[in-house]
Coordinates of all heavy atoms in Angstrom, one line a residue:
M192 N -237.2 -22.6 -92.0 CA -236.5 -23.8 -91.8 C -236.1 -24.5 -93.1 O -235.0 -25.0 -93.2 CB -237.3 -24.8 -90.9 CG -237.4 -24.2 -89.4 SD -238.4 -25.2 -88.3 CE -237.4 -26.7 -88.2
A193 N -237.0 -24.4 -94.0 CA -236.7 -25.1 -95.3 C -235.5 -24.3 -96.0 O -234.6 -25.0 -96.6 CB -237.9 -25.0 -96.2
A194 N -235.5 -23.0 -95.9 CA -234.4 -22.2 -96.5 C -233.1 -22.6 -95.8 O -232.0 -22.7 -96.5 CB -234.7 -20.8 -96.4
N195 N -233.1 -22.7 -94.5 CA -231.9 -23.1 -93.8 C -231.4 -24.5 -94.2 O -230.2 -24.7 -94.4 CB -232.1 -23.1 -92.3 CG -232.2 -21.7 -91.7 OD1 -231.9 -20.7 -92.4 ND2 -232.8 -21.6 -90.5
R196 N -232.3 -25.4 -94.4 CA -231.8 -26.7 -94.9 C -231.2 -26.6 -96.3 O -230.2 -27.3 -96.6 CB -233.0 -27.7 -94.9 CG -233.4 -28.2 -93.5 CD -234.3 -29.4 -93.6 NE -235.6 -29.0 -94.1 CZ -236.6 -28.5 -93.3 NH1 -236.4 -28.3 -92.0 NH2 -237.8 -28.1 -93.8
A197 N -231.8 -25.8 -97.1 CA -231.2 -25.6 -98.5 C -229.8 -25.0 -98.4 O -228.9 -25.4 -99.2 CB -232.1 -24.7 -99.3
F198 N -229.6 -24.0 -97.5 CA -228.3 -23.4 -97.4 C -227.3 -24.5 -96.9 O -226.1 -24.4 -97.2 CB -228.3 -22.2 -96.5 CG -228.9 -21.0 -97.1 CD1 -229.8 -20.2 -96.4 CD2 -228.7 -20.7 -98.4 CE1 -230.4 -19.1 -96.9 CE2 -229.3 -19.6 -99.0 CZ -230.1 -18.8 -98.2
A199 N -227.7 -25.4 -96.1 CA -226.8 -26.4 -95.6 C -226.3 -27.3 -96.7 O -225.2 -27.8 -96.7 CB -227.5 -27.3 -94.5
V200 N -227.1 -27.5 -97.8 CA -226.7 -28.3 -98.9 C -225.9 -27.5 -99.9 O -224.8 -27.9 -100.4 CB -228.0 -28.8 -99.6 CG1 -227.6 -29.5 -100.9 CG2 -228.8 -29.7 -98.7
R201 N -226.3 -26.2 -100.1 CA -225.5 -25.4 -101.1 C -225.5 -24.0 -100.5 O -226.4 -23.2 -100.6 CB -226.2 -25.4 -102.4 CG -225.4 -24.7 -103.5 CD -225.9 -24.8 -104.9 NE -227.2 -24.0 -104.9 CZ -228.0 -24.1 -106.0 NH1 -227.7 -24.9 -107.0 NH2 -229.1 -23.4 -106.0
P202 N -224.3 -23.6 -99.9 CA -224.2 -22.3 -99.3 C -224.4 -21.2 -100.3 O -224.2 -21.4 -101.5 CB -222.8 -22.2 -98.8 CG -222.3 -23.6 -98.8 CD -223.1 -24.4 -99.8
P203 N -224.9 -20.0 -99.9 CA -225.1 -18.9 -100.8 C -223.7 -18.5 -101.5 O -222.7 -18.5 -100.9 CB -225.6 -17.7 -100.0 CG -225.3 -18.1 -98.6 CD -225.2 -19.6 -98.5
A204 N -223.8 -18.2 -102.8 CA -222.6 -17.9 -103.6 C -222.4 -16.4 -103.6 O -222.2 -15.8 -104.7 CB -222.7 -18.5 -104.9
M205 N -222.4 -15.7 -102.5 CA -222.2 -14.3 -102.5 C -221.1 -13.9 -101.5 O -220.9 -14.7 -100.5 CB -223.5 -13.5 -102.1 CG -224.0 -13.9 -100.7 SD -225.6 -13.0 -100.4 CE -226.1 -13.9 -99.0
P206 N -220.4 -12.9 -101.7 CA -219.4 -12.5 -100.7 C -220.0 -12.1 -99.4 O -221.1 -11.4 -99.3 CB -218.7 -11.3 -101.3 CG -219.4 -10.9 -102.5 CD -220.5 -12.0 -102.8
V207 N -219.4 -12.4 -98.3 CA -219.9 -12.1 -96.9 C -218.8 -11.5 -96.1 O -217.7 -12.0 -96.1 CB -220.4 -13.4 -96.2 CG1 -220.8 -13.1 -94.8 CG2 -221.5 -14.1 -97.0
L208 N -219.1 -10.4 -95.5 CA -218.1 -9.8 -94.6 C -218.5 -10.2 -93.1 O -219.6 -9.9 -92.7 CB -218.2 -8.2 -94.7 CG -217.3 -7.4 -93.8 CD1 -215.8 -7.7 -94.0 CD2 -217.6 -5.9 -93.9
A209 N -217.6 -10.8 -92.4 CA -217.8 -11.2 -91.1 C -216.8 -10.5 -90.2 O -215.6 -10.6 -90.3 CB -217.6 -12.7 -90.9
V210 N -217.4 -9.6 -89.3 CA -216.5 -8.8 -88.5 C -216.7 -9.1 -87.0 O -217.8 -9.1 -86.5 CB -216.9 -7.3 -88.7 CG1 -216.0 -6.4 -87.9 CG2 -216.8 -6.9 -90.2
G211 N -215.6 -9.4 -86.3 CA -215.6 -9.6 -84.9 C -214.7 -8.5 -84.2 O -214.0 -7.8 -84.9
A212 N -214.9 -8.3 -83.0 CA -214.1 -7.3 -82.2 C -213.0 -8.1 -81.4 O -213.2 -9.2 -80.9 CB -215.0 -6.6 -81.2
E213 N -211.9 -7.4 -81.3 CA -210.7 -8.0 -80.6 C -211.1 -8.5 -79.2 O -210.7 -9.5 -78.8 CB -209.6 -7.0 -80.5 CG -208.4 -7.5 -79.8 CD -207.3 -6.4 -79.7 OE1 -207.6 -5.2 -79.6 OE2 -206.1 -6.8 -79.9
N214 N -211.9 -7.7 -78.5 CA -212.3 -8.0 -77.1 C -213.7 -8.6 -77.0 O -214.3 -8.6 -75.9 CB -212.1 -6.7 -76.3 CG -210.7 -6.2 -76.3 OD1 -209.8 -7.0 -76.0 ND2 -210.5 -5.0 -76.6
S215 N -214.2 -9.1 -78.1 CA -215.6 -9.7 -78.1 C -215.7 -10.6 -79.3 O -216.0 -10.1 -80.4 CB -216.7 -8.7 -78.1 OG -217.9 -9.3 -78.1
L216 N -215.5 -11.9 -79.2 CA -215.6 -12.9 -80.2 C -214.5 -13.0 -81.2 O -214.2 -14.0 -81.7 CB -217.0 -12.8 -80.9 CG -218.2 -13.0 -80.0 CD1 -219.5 -12.9 -80.8 CD2 -218.1 -14.4 -79.3
G217 N -213.9 -11.8 -81.6 CA -212.7 -11.8 -82.5 C -212.9 -12.7 -83.7 O -213.9 -12.6 -84.4
Q218 N -212.0 -13.6 -83.9 CA -211.9 -14.5 -85.1 C -213.1 -15.5 -85.1 O -213.4 -16.0 -86.1 CB -210.6 -15.2 -85.1 CG -210.4 -16.0 -86.3 CD -210.2 -15.2 -87.6 OE1 -209.7 -14.1 -87.6 NE2 -210.8 -15.7 -88.7
T219 N -213.7 -15.7 -84.0 CA -214.8 -16.6 -83.9 C -216.0 -16.3 -84.8 O -216.6 -17.2 -85.4 CB -215.4 -16.7 -82.4 OG1 -214.3 -17.0 -81.6 CG2 -216.5 -17.7 -82.3
V220 N -216.2 -15.0 -85.1 CA -217.3 -14.6 -86.0 C -217.0 -15.1 -87.4 O -217.9 -15.8 -87.9 CB -217.4 -13.0 -86.0 CG1 -218.5 -12.6 -87.0 CG2 -217.8 -12.5 -84.6
S221 N -215.9 -14.9 -87.9 CA -215.6 -15.4 -89.3 C -215.5 -16.9 -89.3 O -216.0 -17.6 -90.3 CB -214.4 -14.8 -89.9 OG -213.3 -15.0 -89.1
D222 N -215.0 -17.5 -88.3 CA -215.0 -19.0 -88.2 C -216.4 -19.6 -88.3 O -216.6 -20.6 -89.0 CB -214.3 -19.5 -86.9 CG -212.8 -19.2 -86.9 OD1 -212.2 -18.8 -88.0 OD2 -212.2 -19.2 -85.8
Q223 N -217.3 -19.0 -87.6 CA -218.7 -19.5 -87.6 C -219.4 -19.2 -88.9 O -220.0 -20.1 -89.5 CB -219.5 -18.8 -86.5 CG -219.2 -19.2 -85.1 CD -219.9 -18.4 -84.1 OE1 -220.6 -17.4 -84.4 NE2 -219.8 -18.8 -82.8
V224 N -219.1 -18.1 -89.5 CA -219.8 -17.8 -90.8 C -219.3 -18.7 -91.9 O -220.0 -19.0 -92.8 CB -219.6 -16.3 -91.2 CG1 -220.1 -16.0 -92.6 CG2 -220.3 -15.4 -90.2
R225 N -218.0 -19.1 -91.8 CA -217.4 -20.0 -92.9 C -218.2 -21.4 -92.9 O -218.0 -22.1 -93.8 CB -215.9 -20.2 -92.6 CG -215.2 -19.0 -93.1 CD -213.7 -19.2 -93.1 NE -213.0 -18.1 -93.6 CZ -212.5 -17.1 -92.9 NH1 -212.6 -17.1 -91.6 NH2 -211.9 -16.0 -93.4
R226 N -218.9 -21.7 -91.8 CA -219.7 -22.9 -91.8 C -220.9 -22.8 -92.7 O -221.5 -23.8 -93.1 CB -220.1 -23.2 -90.4 CG -219.0 -23.5 -89.4 CD -219.4 -23.7 -88.0 NE -220.5 -24.7 -87.9 CZ -221.3 -24.7 -86.8 NH1 -221.1 -23.9 -85.8 NH2 -222.2 -25.7 -86.7
Y227 N -221.3 -21.6 -93.1 CA -222.5 -21.4 -93.8 C -222.3 -20.7 -95.2 O -223.3 -20.6 -95.9 CB -223.5 -20.5 -93.0 CG -223.7 -21.1 -91.7 CD1 -223.2 -20.6 -90.5 CD2 -224.5 -22.3 -91.5 CE1 -223.3 -21.2 -89.3 CE2 -224.7 -22.9 -90.3 CZ -224.1 -22.3 -89.2 OH -224.3 -22.9 -87.9
A228 N -221.1 -20.2 -95.4 CA -220.9 -19.5 -96.7 C -219.4 -19.8 -97.2 O -218.6 -20.2 -96.4 CB -221.0 -18.0 -96.5
T229 N -219.2 -19.7 -98.5 CA -217.9 -20.1 -99.0 C -217.0 -18.9 -99.4 O -215.8 -19.1 -99.4 CB -218.1 -20.9 -100.3 OG1 -218.9 -20.2 -101.2 CG2 -218.9 -22.2 -100.0
D230 N -217.6 -17.8 -99.6 CA -216.8 -16.6 -99.9 C -216.9 -15.6 -98.8 O -217.6 -14.6 -98.8 CB -217.4 -15.9 -101.2 CG -216.5 -14.8 -101.7 OD1 -215.5 -14.5 -101.1 OD2 -216.9 -14.2 -102.7
V231 N -216.0 -15.8 -97.7 CA -216.1 -15.1 -96.5 C -214.8 -14.3 -96.3 O -213.7 -14.8 -96.5 CB -216.2 -16.0 -95.3 CG1 -216.2 -15.2 -94.0 CG2 -217.5 -16.8 -95.4
R232 N -215.0 -13.0 -96.1 CA -213.9 -12.1 -95.7 C -214.0 -11.8 -94.2 O -214.9 -11.2 -93.8 CB -213.9 -10.8 -96.5 CG -212.8 -9.8 -96.1 CD -212.9 -8.6 -96.9 NE -212.1 -7.5 -96.3 CZ -212.1 -6.3 -96.8 NH1 -212.8 -6.0 -97.8 NH2 -211.3 -5.4 -96.1
G233 N -213.1 -12.4 -93.5 CA -213.1 -12.2 -92.0 C -212.2 -11.1 -91.6 O -211.1 -10.9 -92.1
E234 N -212.7 -10.3 -90.7 CA -211.9 -9.1 -90.1 C -212.1 -9.1 -88.6 O -213.2 -9.5 -88.1 CB -212.4 -7.8 -90.7 CG -212.3 -7.7 -92.2 CD -210.9 -7.4 -92.6 OE1 -210.0 -7.1 -91.8 OE2 -210.6 -7.5 -93.8
V235 N -211.1 -8.7 -87.9 CA -211.2 -8.5 -86.5 C -210.8 -7.0 -86.2 O -209.7 -6.6 -86.6 CB -210.2 -9.4 -85.7 CG1 -210.3 -9.1 -84.2 CG2 -210.6 -10.9 -85.9
V236 N -211.6 -6.3 -85.6 CA -211.4 -4.9 -85.3 C -210.6 -4.8 -84.0 O -211.1 -5.2 -82.9 CB -212.7 -4.0 -85.2 CG1 -212.4 -2.6 -84.9 CG2 -213.4 -4.1 -86.6
A237 N -209.4 -4.2 -84.1 CA -208.5 -4.1 -82.9 C -209.1 -3.1 -81.9 O -209.8 -2.1 -82.3 CB -207.1 -3.7 -83.3
D238 N -208.8 -3.2 -80.7 CA -209.1 -2.3 -79.6 C -210.6 -2.0 -79.6 O -211.0 -0.8 -79.5 CB -208.3 -1.0 -79.8 CG -208.3 -0.1 -78.6 OD1 -208.4 -0.6 -77.5 OD2 -208.2 1.1 -78.8
S239 N -211.4 -3.0 -79.7 CA -212.9 -2.8 -79.7 C -213.5 -3.9 -78.9 O -213.0 -5.1 -78.9 CB -213.4 -2.8 -81.1 OG -214.8 -2.6 -81.1
G240 N -214.7 -3.6 -78.4 CA -215.5 -4.6 -77.7 C -216.7 -4.9 -78.5 O -216.7 -4.8 -79.7
H241 N -217.8 -5.2 -77.8 CA -219.0 -5.7 -78.4 C -219.6 -4.6 -79.4 O -220.2 -5.0 -80.4 CB -220.0 -6.0 -77.3 CG -221.3 -6.6 -77.8 ND1 -221.4 -7.9 -78.3 CD2 -222.5 -6.1 -77.9 CE1 -222.6 -8.1 -78.7 NE2 -223.3 -7.0 -78.5
W242 N -219.5 -3.4 -79.0 CA -220.2 -2.3 -79.8 C -219.2 -1.7 -80.8 O -218.9 -0.5 -80.7 CB -220.8 -1.2 -78.9 CG -221.7 -1.8 -77.9 CD1 -221.4 -2.0 -76.5 CD2 -223.0 -2.4 -78.1 NE1 -222.5 -2.6 -75.9 CE2 -223.5 -2.9 -76.9 CE3 -223.8 -2.5 -79.2 CZ2 -224.7 -3.5 -76.7 CZ3 -225.0 -3.1 -79.1 CH2 -225.5 -3.6 -77.9
I243 N -218.8 -2.4 -81.8 CA -217.8 -2.0 -82.8 C -218.2 -0.7 -83.5 O -217.4 0.2 -83.6 CB -217.6 -3.1 -83.9 CG1 -217.2 -4.4 -83.2 CG2 -216.5 -2.6 -84.8 CD1 -217.1 -5.6 -84.2
F244 N -219.5 -0.6 -83.9 CA -219.9 0.6 -84.6 C -219.8 1.9 -83.8 O -219.5 2.9 -84.3 CB -221.4 0.5 -85.1 CG -221.5 -0.5 -86.3 CD1 -221.9 -1.8 -86.0 CD2 -221.2 -0.1 -87.5 CE1 -222.1 -2.7 -87.1 CE2 -221.3 -1.0 -88.6 CZ -221.8 -2.3 -88.4
E245 N -220.0 1.8 -82.5 CA -219.9 2.9 -81.6 C -218.4 3.1 -81.2 O -218.0 4.3 -81.0 CB -220.7 2.7 -80.4 CG -222.2 2.8 -80.7 CD -223.1 2.6 -79.5 OE1 -222.6 2.6 -78.3 OE2 -224.3 2.4 -79.6
E246 N -217.7 2.1 -81.0 CA -216.3 2.2 -80.4 C -215.3 2.5 -81.5 O -214.3 3.2 -81.2 CB -215.9 0.9 -79.7 CG -216.8 0.6 -78.5 CD -216.5 -0.8 -77.9 OE1 -215.4 -1.3 -78.1 OE2 -217.4 -1.3 -77.3
R247 N -215.5 2.0 -82.7 CA -214.5 2.2 -83.8 C -215.3 2.5 -85.1 O -215.1 1.8 -86.1 CB -213.7 0.9 -84.0 CG -213.0 0.5 -82.7 CD -211.8 1.3 -82.4 NE -210.9 1.0 -83.5 CZ -209.7 1.5 -83.6 NH1 -209.2 2.3 -82.7 NH2 -208.9 1.3 -84.6
P248 N -216.0 3.6 -85.1 CA -216.8 3.9 -86.3 C -216.0 4.1 -87.6 O -216.4 3.7 -88.7 CB -217.6 5.2 -86.0 CG -216.8 5.8 -84.8 CD -216.2 4.7 -84.1
G249 N -214.9 4.8 -87.5 CA -214.0 5.0 -88.7 C -213.5 3.7 -89.3 O -213.5 3.5 -90.5
E250 N -213.1 2.8 -88.4 CA -212.6 1.5 -88.9 C -213.7 0.7 -89.5 O -213.6 0.0 -90.6 CB -212.0 0.7 -87.7 CG -211.5 -0.7 -88.0 CD -210.2 -0.7 -88.9 OE1 -209.7 0.4 -89.1 OE2 -209.9 -1.7 -89.4
M251 N -214.9 0.7 -88.9 CA -216.0 -0.1 -89.5 C -216.4 0.5 -90.8 O -216.7 -0.2 -91.8 CB -217.2 0.0 -88.5 CG -217.2 -1.1 -87.4 SD -217.0 -2.8 -88.1 CE -218.4 -2.9 -89.2
T252 N -216.5 1.9 -90.9 CA -216.8 2.5 -92.2 C -215.8 2.1 -93.3 O -216.2 1.7 -94.4 CB -216.8 4.0 -92.0 OG1 -217.8 4.4 -91.0 CG2 -217.2 4.7 -93.3
R253 N -214.5 2.1 -92.9 CA -213.5 1.7 -93.9 C -213.7 0.3 -94.3 O -213.7 -0.1 -95.5 CB -212.1 1.9 -93.3 CG -211.0 1.6 -94.3 CD -209.6 1.5 -93.7 NE -209.5 0.4 -92.7 CZ -209.3 -0.9 -93.0 NH1 -209.3 -1.3 -94.2 NH2 -209.2 -1.8 -92.0
L254 N -213.9 -0.7 -93.4 CA -214.1 -2.1 -93.7 C -215.4 -2.2 -94.6 O -215.3 -3.0 -95.6 CB -214.4 -2.9 -92.4 CG -213.1 -3.2 -91.6 CD1 -213.5 -3.8 -90.3 CD2 -212.1 -4.0 -92.3
L255 N -216.4 -1.6 -94.3 CA -217.7 -1.7 -95.1 C -217.5 -1.1 -96.5 O -217.8 -1.8 -97.5 CB -218.8 -1.0 -94.4 CG -219.4 -1.7 -93.2 CD1 -220.4 -0.8 -92.5 CD2 -220.1 -3.0 -93.6
L256 N -216.9 0.0 -96.6 CA -216.7 0.6 -97.9 C -215.7 -0.2 -98.8 O -215.9 -0.4 -100.0 CB -216.2 2.1 -97.8 CG -217.2 3.1 -97.3 CD1 -216.6 4.4 -97.1 CD2 -218.4 3.1 -98.2
D257 N -214.6 -0.7 -98.2 CA -213.7 -1.6 -98.9 C -214.4 -2.8 -99.4 O -214.2 -3.3 -100.6 CB -212.5 -2.0 -98.0 CG -211.5 -0.8 -97.8 OD1 -211.7 0.3 -98.5 OD2 -210.6 -1.0 -97.0
F258 N -215.2 -3.4 -98.6 CA -215.9 -4.6 -98.9 C -216.9 -4.4 -100.0 O -217.0 -5.2 -101.0 CB -216.6 -5.2 -97.7 CG -217.4 -6.4 -98.0 CD1 -216.8 -7.7 -98.1 CD2 -218.8 -6.4 -98.0 CE1 -217.5 -8.8 -98.4 CE2 -219.5 -7.5 -98.3 CZ -218.9 -8.8 -98.5
L259 N -217.6 -3.3 -99.9 CA -218.7 -3.0 -100.9 C -218.1 -2.6 -102.3 O -218.8 -2.7 -103.3 CB -219.6 -1.9 -100.4 CG -220.5 -2.4 -99.2 CD1 -221.2 -1.2 -98.6 CD2 -221.4 -3.5 -99.6
R260 N -216.9 -2.1 -102.3 CA -216.2 -1.8 -103.6 C -216.0 -3.0 -104.3 O -215.9 -3.1 -105.5 CB -214.9 -1.0 -103.3 CG -215.2 0.4 -103.0 CD -213.9 1.2 -102.9 NE -214.2 2.5 -102.4 CZ -213.9 3.0 -101.2 NH1 -213.2 2.2 -100.4 NH2 -214.2 4.2 -100.8

């Protein structure tokens, strides 16, 4: 709880990848993460539901590798 209070005062200064699925939360994921971090890259995976890694593994791999580069 103390760490959470500290983040509320000063968000972590690291890049964050926030991924939502077109048919499950979509843009809401990145909108929520922007409340807690300042360097957010938001993505929405098209034609996917809740299980993005299983439904769109190639797209998720591309997003992760691009982000980590």
Side-chain angles (χ1 to χ4, degrees):
M192 291 176 69
N195 287 344
R196 282 191 293 275
F198 287 139
V200 174
R201 189 171 68 188
M205 63 183 167
V207 177
L208 176 62
V210 181
E213 180 181 36
N214 299 309
S215 177
L216 298 180
Q218 186 65 38
T219 304
V220 175
S221 57
D222 292 344
Q223 289 176 349
V224 173
R225 283 188 179 94
R226 295 173 54 199
Y227 307 104
T229 57
D230 186 1
V231 178
R232 176 176 165 187
E234 299 285 348
V235 176
V236 177
D238 194 30
S239 183
H241 184 74
W242 304 108
I243 304 171
F244 287 99
E245 292 180 9
E246 297 172 27
R247 305 284 294 182
E250 179 70 9
M251 276 305 305
T252 300
R253 184 190 64 77
L254 287 173
L255 288 170
L256 291 176
D257 287 350
F258 178 75
L259 293 172
R260 283 189 187 104

